[in-house]
Amino acid sequence: MRRGTLDFGGRVIELQQEIRAIEERLAHEDTAAALSMLEAAEADLALLRGSLSDAIANDPNLLALEDHLHALRQRLE
């Protein structure tokens, strides 16, 4: 993620794209790459959440991204 160069909406879109890329790696059974990408996406989400006010940090889009990343984590474990 290009931290600091995008607005909130742009950063959410980038995280959604990262999730699609992870799912693609899983579809190709490339679990090592998927896990590495997942860890990066989780770190990006944590950085994004840390830079937001509490009101925005509970945005439904962020909650959905968090849930999706959690589901991907469970698939990889």
Side-chain angles (χ1 to χ4, degrees):
M1 180 180 288
R2 295 169 288 189
R3 292 165 195 71
T5 61
L6 296 175
D7 63 6
F8 172 75
R11 294 174 84 182
V12 167
I13 289 169
E14 277 196 350
L15 275 166
Q16 291 169 334
Q17 292 169 342
E18 289 178 42
I19 287 172
R20 282 192 292 279
I22 294 165
E23 289 174 331
E24 184 176 310
R25 291 293 90 215
L26 285 173
H28 288 93
E29 299 181 11
D30 188 353
T31 55
L35 182 58
S36 177
M37 294 167 72
L38 174 63
E39 289 169 351
E42 289 172 334
D44 287 343
L45 179 59
L47 283 172
L48 179 57
R49 279 187 168 282
S51 69
L52 300 172
S53 70
D54 287 341
I56 298 173
N58 292 320
D59 180 87
N61 292 307
L62 287 183
L63 296 175
L65 287 170
E66 186 175 63
D67 288 346
H68 204 149
L69 289 172
H70 180 71
L72 288 170
R73 169 70 61 190
Q74 288 183 320
R75 284 177 59 188
L76 284 165
E77 291 180 348

